[in-house]
Coordinates of all heavy atoms in Angstrom, one line a residue:
Chain F
L208 N 91.8 27.0 119.0 CA 91.0 26.6 117.7 C 91.9 25.7 116.9 O 93.0 25.9 116.6 CB 90.8 27.9 116.9 CG 89.7 28.9 117.5 CD1 89.8 30.2 116.6 CD2 88.4 28.3 117.5
F209 N 91.3 24.6 116.7 CA 92.0 23.5 115.8 C 93.3 23.0 116.3 O 94.2 22.6 115.6 CB 92.1 24.0 114.4 CG 90.9 24.3 113.7 CD1 90.8 25.0 112.4 CD2 89.7 23.8 114.2 CE1 89.7 25.2 111.9 CE2 88.5 24.1 113.5 CZ 88.5 24.8 112.3
S210 N 93.5 23.1 117.6 CA 94.8 22.7 118.3 C 94.6 21.9 119.5 O 93.8 22.3 120.3 CB 95.5 24.0 118.6 OG 96.9 24.0 118.5
L327 N 90.4 30.9 110.3 CA 90.7 31.1 111.8 C 90.8 32.7 111.9 O 91.6 33.4 111.3 CB 92.1 30.5 112.0 CG 92.3 29.0 112.1 CD1 93.6 28.5 112.0 CD2 91.6 28.5 113.3
H349 N 89.1 20.5 110.3 CA 90.1 21.7 110.7 C 90.2 22.5 109.5 O 91.3 23.1 109.5 CB 91.3 21.1 111.2 CG 91.1 20.2 112.4 ND1 90.8 18.9 112.1 CD2 91.0 20.4 113.7 CE1 90.6 18.3 113.4 NE2 90.7 19.2 114.2
Chain Y
L51 N 104.1 31.6 108.6 CA 104.1 30.3 109.0 C 102.7 29.7 108.9 O 102.4 28.5 108.6 CB 104.6 30.1 110.4 CG 106.2 30.4 110.6 CD1 106.6 30.4 112.1 CD2 106.9 29.3 109.8
S52 N 101.7 30.6 109.3 CA 100.3 30.1 109.2 C 99.9 29.9 107.7 O 99.2 29.0 107.5 CB 99.4 31.1 109.8 OG 99.4 31.0 111.2
D55 N 101.2 26.6 106.6 CA 100.4 25.6 107.2 C 99.1 25.5 106.6 O 98.5 24.3 106.6 CB 100.2 25.9 108.8 CG 99.7 24.6 109.5 OD1 100.0 23.5 109.2 OD2 98.9 24.9 110.4
G56 N 98.5 26.6 106.2 CA 97.2 26.6 105.6 C 97.1 25.8 104.3 O 96.0 25.2 104.0
I58 N 98.6 22.9 103.6 CA 98.3 21.5 103.6 C 97.8 21.0 105.0 O 97.7 19.9 105.4 CB 99.5 20.6 103.1 CG1 100.8 21.1 103.8 CG2 99.7 20.7 101.7 CD1 102.0 20.2 103.6
G59 N 97.8 22.1 106.0 CA 97.4 21.7 107.3 C 96.2 22.6 107.6 O 95.3 22.8 106.8
D60 N 96.2 23.1 108.9 CA 95.0 23.8 109.3 C 95.2 25.3 109.5 O 94.5 26.0 110.0 CB 94.4 23.2 110.5 CG 95.4 23.1 111.7 OD1 96.5 23.5 111.5 OD2 94.9 22.7 112.7
G61 N 96.5 25.7 109.1 CA 96.7 27.2 109.0 C 96.9 27.9 110.3 O 96.7 29.2 110.4
D62 N 97.3 27.1 111.4 CA 97.5 27.8 112.7 C 98.9 27.7 113.2 O 99.2 28.1 114.3 CB 96.6 27.2 113.7 CG 96.8 25.7 113.9 OD1 97.7 25.1 113.1 OD2 96.2 25.1 114.8
H63 N 99.9 27.2 112.4 CA 101.2 27.1 112.9 C 101.8 28.4 113.4 O 102.3 28.4 114.5 CB 102.0 26.4 111.9 CG 103.4 26.0 112.4 ND1 103.7 25.1 113.4 CD2 104.8 26.4 112.1 CE1 104.9 25.0 113.7 NE2 105.6 25.8 112.9
G64 N 101.6 29.4 112.6 CA 102.2 30.7 113.0 C 101.6 31.3 114.2 O 102.2 31.8 115.1
N66 N 99.9 29.5 116.7 CA 100.5 28.7 117.8 C 101.8 29.1 118.2 O 102.1 29.2 119.4 CB 100.5 27.2 117.4 CG 99.1 26.5 117.1 OD1 98.1 27.3 117.3 ND2 99.1 25.5 116.3
S103 N 100.5 20.3 118.4 CA 101.6 19.4 118.3 C 102.9 20.1 118.6 O 103.9 19.6 119.2 CB 101.9 18.9 116.7 OG 100.6 18.8 116.0
M104 N 102.9 21.4 118.5 CA 104.1 22.2 118.7 C 104.4 22.4 120.1 O 105.6 22.4 120.6 CB 104.0 23.6 118.0 CG 104.1 23.5 116.5 SD 105.6 22.7 116.0 CE 104.9 21.1 115.5
R202 N 98.9 16.1 110.5 CA 97.7 16.5 109.8 C 97.8 16.3 108.3 O 96.8 15.8 107.6 CB 97.5 17.9 110.1 CG 96.0 18.4 110.1 CD 95.9 19.8 110.6 NE 96.1 20.0 112.0 CZ 95.2 19.6 112.9 NH1 94.1 19.0 112.6 NH2 95.5 19.8 114.2
A216 N 105.5 23.4 107.4 CA 105.4 24.5 108.2 C 106.4 24.4 109.3 O 107.2 25.4 109.7 CB 104.0 24.9 108.8
Ligands
MG70 MG1 98.5 23.5 112.1

Side-chain angles (χ1 to χ4, degrees):
Chain F
L208 290 174
F209 297 166
S210 207
L327 283 167
H349 302 87
Chain Y
L51 292 172
S52 283
D55 188 36
I58 53 171
D60 57 355
D62 61 355
H63 187 63
N66 297 341
S103 325
M104 286 308 103
R202 203 177 290 285

